[in-house]
Amino acid sequence: MCGLAGTTTVEDRDRVSVALRALTHRGPDDEGCWSDRAGAVTLGVRRLITTDPGMAANQPLISPDGRFVFAFNGYIAGHRRLISGLRDQGQQVECDSDAALFLTVLGNALRDGGDPAKALADLSGQYAFALWDCVLRQLWLGRDPVGIKPLYFSEYGSGNVAFGSEFAALRCIVPAMPDQNVFPHYLAHLFVPALATGFADIRQLRPGELICWQDGKIDSRMIRPAVRHRAAGDNTVSDLRRAIRQSVADAMDADREVGTLLSGGMDSGAIAAMASDVARERGQKPPPGFVMQFDSAEMDETPRAQQLAKHLGMELHIVAAPDRPEEILAHLNDGLRAFGSPFGNPSVVLMQALSAVVSRHVPICLAGDGGDELFGGYPRYRAAAMFGAWQSVPDFIRRKMAGNIARLLPRGGARFVRGGQGDAQRAFQYWNDRCGLAELGARLVVPEDLPDGDLCDRMMAFDRLVTLPGNQLAMSDRCGMAYGLEYRVPLLGHEVMAIAGRVAAQGHLRGGAKSLLRAAIAPMMPDGYLSAAKVGFNPPVSDWLAKLGGLLWGREARIIEMLFADLPIMDRTRQDYWRSATRHGEQDMALGLWALLVWRIWQTHLATDRRAEIKYAKGSVDGSIKAAVQAETLPEAAM
């Protein structure tokens, strides 16, 4: 993987150089910067070398005819097979990297006057890129259709564009004002969904978006994976098993060592089992596995990971979950700096801690991201599947259940009966809203092109289009690349997704969650492994909230004052909310207050960054900007 930065002017080349230094963690192995002689564009890359370590693969790449200059972040599945096929057709591919493959495919389409979005539809993988067409004077920026890799851009000056893989880099080129209007959306999602970013002048490309800049104007279109229609039938299970194995094999096709996460769950277990099988076929030992260990037996999946690792003959590294307040805060600060925008999923702390250890062993790690969204793993999908039956229950019974009785139910049951009081749209909003504080007016961002279908289908589609790229995939990218670690997600290969999509949402739930995936991987798993209850990669939020509140602000009264400052919640209610979250372990409330705490910390990061931008405004492009952007501590006064 790599980090990208650039502008549509050479006057800002020095600032692009500063931006590249801010991206060193994404690409610790090499740096390249290219400026157009006519003064139209500057492209910069920091490179993490995972394929083709030869000098010919250093970026930016220039096409053999000199027409295109290309900067690439990501990997393309099966790139060696595809390169071989192109060469057999007599085409020139300068080196054996997936970046060279991508440049050839995209360049061919542009030379022929074709649709570049259609040309890229067949390339499965994860990527963001920038391409400069020296003939047509066009800058193309794009992002993979699943939304695995990030890319941000800003329009500034007299029709210019700056872009970068992270906010810290982009803000070295152009200033940006915080966008407080994202607050209600952040609360509902626990992240800022595209197109917004948390900054008024910066937006992120949507998953699959391809934009073209020319003479100050921007055109946008979408890359949509080619769909080969085929009805689900008796061979769906074997098709899925084969597709996952091929996707894992492609992800392991690298010139660096590969590891795999092994949480103890079904998704990472499937990847680990396939990876071990592929390695043995290649005459290699199984890749090393990594699992996070928790003190609480209820949360810890280490025993299951050890069971599977022993079954597969895999070396297993156990990483202790952070527990001390100072340790939790340090990882949270690092995660927020990696994002640059508010990110309220507390698992970011775990991913930061895990990635720091994994990166010491391997530069590439396979992960099971996407399994829940593709194969129906979340409890709210089961709630949606039962919605129709629940609506047939008399109104007075449903109202009674949603009242005082709901307080006696487990969390999942309480959310089900409360969310199921109205129509399907109300249920959709309630079950997807992560904010437990009704007074704050949290609002979901729902895509206009969300596919029609029953409630369960819409819930799963919403997660694939919005929550997966904005939450899990963003977290894996930022936390991994903070340490020069490339996470690859084989379950999100195009063919795997196409096979999963042939089955209706309720079909994935028939016989229990993830029934299709379960059937596909069962022959590879040890006895009893798949029958254990789902735990999930989640920290003890109530405990962490109390620990960080005390560390940041001291006594309970001060914590409540700082946490709820300027919010329309009565003093007594604020106290009740805090105690409900920290003393009674009310999970939804704890998650809502954690999101508030993260928002407050993000504000202190903005204050630190603002000092850096003041230096930028004075024309400073020396190391002081980099030091300010990558500041290691939060100012005490800001707490």
Side-chain angles (χ1 to χ4, degrees):
M1 297 300 172
C2 304
L4 312 179
T7 72
T8 53
T9 171
V10 296
E11 284 80 3
D12 288 329
R13 181 187 174 102
D14 288 343
R15 288 171 178 156
V16 173
S17 296
V18 176
L20 291 177
R21 292 201 295 272
L23 291 171
T24 300
H25 54 278
R26 293 189 73 95
D29 298 327
D30 187 58
E31 177 180 314
C33 193
W34 179 92
S35 291
D36 179 43
R37 292 180 180 178
V41 71
T42 298
L43 301 183
V45 186
R46 287 291 322 190
R47 187 178 177 215
L48 171 66
I49 298 176
T50 58
T51 60
D52 195 347
M55 291 290 292
N58 287 343
Q59 298 185 43
L61 295 176
I62 301 176
S63 63
D65 60 2
R67 175 172 172 175
F68 302 111
V69 184
F70 184 63
F72 182 75
N73 167 27
Y75 94 95
I76 299 301
H79 72 281
R80 297 185 208 270
R81 293 193 307 273
L82 297 172
I83 288 174
S84 178
L86 289 173
R87 287 172 174 164
D88 287 345
Q89 297 171 17
Q91 297 193 45
Q92 184 177 0
V93 184
E94 290 292 275
C95 62
D96 294 327
S97 72
D98 36 17
L101 164 70
F102 200 103
L103 171 58
T104 302
V105 171
L106 183 55
N108 287 345
L110 293 173
R111 286 190 195 91
D112 296 340
D115 182 356
K118 186 174 293 185
L120 299 179
D122 283 326
L123 294 183
S124 179
Q126 49 197 66
Y127 58 81
F129 71 88
L131 178 140
W132 175 245
D133 186 333
C134 298
V135 173
L136 298 182
R137 319 299 291 168
Q138 294 174 334
L139 175 68
W140 292 88
L141 303 175
R143 186 182 179 199
D144 68 78
V146 184
I148 304 171
K149 292 285 104 181
L151 193 60
Y152 303 92
F153 75 96
S154 177
E155 299 179 68
Y156 74 106
S158 300
N160 285 316
V161 165
F163 63 89
S165 294
E166 293 181 3
F167 286 118
L170 188 50
R171 294 176 68 196
C172 290
I173 304 172
V174 294
M177 294 298 296
D179 180 7
Q180 304 295 335
N181 293 325
V182 302
F183 183 60
H185 304 307
Y186 158 73
L187 289 177
H189 294 268
L190 299 183
F191 60 89
V192 181
L195 305 166
T197 60
F199 294 92
D201 302 316
I202 297 176
R203 84 165 181 88
Q204 53 183 311
L205 270 70
R206 294 168 290 170
E209 187 173 10
L210 179 64
I211 67 172
C212 177
W213 175 94
Q214 185 176 35
D215 295 330
K217 298 180 180 180
I218 292 179
D219 172 67
S220 176
R221 64 195 75 185
M222 299 300 292
I223 305 167
R224 304 191 188 280
V227 178
R228 294 170 179 84
H229 294 285
R230 181 178 174 184
D234 295 338
N235 58 351
T236 300
V237 171
S238 58
D239 285 350
L240 179 62
R241 185 184 301 120
R242 174 192 51 76
I244 294 176
R245 190 184 188 283
Q246 184 61 61
S247 189
V248 169
D250 288 339
M252 295 174 67
D253 187 7
D255 295 318
R256 304 284 295 277
E257 187 177 1
V258 178
T260 181
L261 297 186
L262 189 57
S263 69
M266 191 184 303
D267 304 330
S268 64
I271 300 302
M274 297 288 185
S276 297
D277 189 52
V278 169
R280 286 196 177 89
E281 185 180 81
R282 295 175 177 175
Q284 304 166 350
K285 65 180 182 179
F290 301 87
V291 64
M292 179 156 274
Q293 185 175 50
F294 295 87
D295 290 337
S296 170
E298 294 180 355
M299 302 177 60
D300 187 35
E301 291 188 304
T302 303
R304 290 186 69 205
Q306 290 172 321
Q307 177 195 15
L308 183 57
K310 182 179 179 180
H311 178 75
L312 299 174
M314 175 183 288
E315 176 188 5
L316 183 64
H317 299 269
I318 299 174
V319 182
D323 183 64
R324 294 183 297 106
E326 296 81 5
E327 187 180 17
I328 296 167
L329 180 60
H331 286 306
L332 177 58
N333 280 330
D334 288 344
L336 289 178
R337 276 191 284 271
F339 270 89
S341 60
F343 187 78
N345 185 341
S347 295
V348 70
V349 174
L350 303 179
M351 277 303 288
Q352 282 288 136
L354 183 62
S355 299
V357 175
V358 175
S359 67
R360 298 172 198 157
H361 297 271
V362 295
I364 304 168
C365 190
L366 310 185
D369 291 351
D372 286 315
E373 293 80 4
L374 289 183
F375 300 104
Y378 292 127
R380 62 181 179 275
Y381 301 156
R382 295 193 291 278
M386 294 186 294
F387 179 75
W390 179 245
Q391 288 291 289
S392 66
V393 175
D395 288 348
F396 77 93
I397 295 179
R398 287 190 284 123
R399 287 195 300 270
K400 188 74 171 177
M401 291 289 291
N404 292 333
I405 294 178
R407 300 176 186 176
L408 306 176
L409 297 175
R411 175 178 178 252
R415 285 188 61 81
F416 175 76
V417 297
R418 288 169 178 161
Q421 287 305 294
D423 60 12
Q425 181 59 27
R426 183 186 185 280
F428 179 94
Q429 294 285 335
Y430 187 91
W431 290 333
N432 285 304
D433 188 347
R434 303 298 197 276
C435 182
L437 289 79
E439 300 93 331
L440 300 186
R443 296 198 307 275
L444 287 177
V445 175
V446 181
E448 294 181 359
D449 58 349
L450 188 68
D452 293 330
D454 70 10
L455 180 57
C456 193
D457 283 306
R458 286 176 59 81
M459 295 273 284
M460 288 181 67
F462 174 77
D463 277 348
R464 290 194 300 271
L465 293 172
V466 178
T467 310
L468 179 62
N471 184 23
Q472 292 93 326
L473 296 178
M475 186 163 55
S476 293
D477 173 82
R478 306 312 187 279
C479 296
M481 295 310 297
Y483 300 98
L485 171 65
E486 174 182 318
Y487 284 112
R488 293 185 175 183
V489 285
L491 291 180
L492 296 174
H494 284 188
E495 188 175 6
V496 178
M497 294 186 70
I499 293 171
R502 280 158 34 190
V503 179
Q506 297 209 26
H508 286 291
L509 303 176
R510 193 171 296 120
K514 299 184 182 177
S515 58
L516 175 59
L517 180 60
R518 185 185 305 271
I521 66 172
M524 311 180 75
M525 297 294 152
D527 292 342
Y529 183 84
L530 295 176
S531 61
K534 178 183 176 68
V535 175
F537 191 60
N538 298 304
V541 185
S542 295
D543 178 56
W544 280 15
L545 187 62
K547 286 179 176 179
L548 289 199
L551 178 63
L552 294 173
W553 298 305
R555 301 182 65 177
E556 183 177 277
R558 178 63 173 167
I559 297 171
I560 294 172
E561 176 188 353
M562 296 299 294
L563 199 59
F564 292 97
D566 303 323
L567 296 178
I569 301 176
M570 301 293 291
D571 290 345
R572 179 58 183 270
T573 304
R574 296 179 179 190
Q575 187 178 79
D576 290 344
Y577 283 171
W578 174 257
R579 293 178 179 176
S580 174
T582 58
R583 299 184 187 181
H584 303 299
E586 208 284 294
Q587 189 172 348
D588 291 321
M589 184 59 64
L591 197 57
L593 296 193
W594 177 269
L596 283 182
L597 181 143
V598 169
W599 181 267
R600 301 302 182 194
I601 294 176
W602 182 60
Q603 300 297 312
T604 68
H605 284 225
L606 293 176
T608 302
D609 293 345
R610 182 58 181 161
R611 288 195 288 272
E613 289 188 351
I614 290 173
K615 293 182 180 180
Y616 157 82
K618 294 178 180 178
S620 172
V621 292
D622 60 18
S624 62
I625 293 181
K626 177 186 174 186
V629 170
Q630 298 180 328
E632 292 298 326
T633 58
L634 290 173
E636 289 291 335
M639 293 298 183

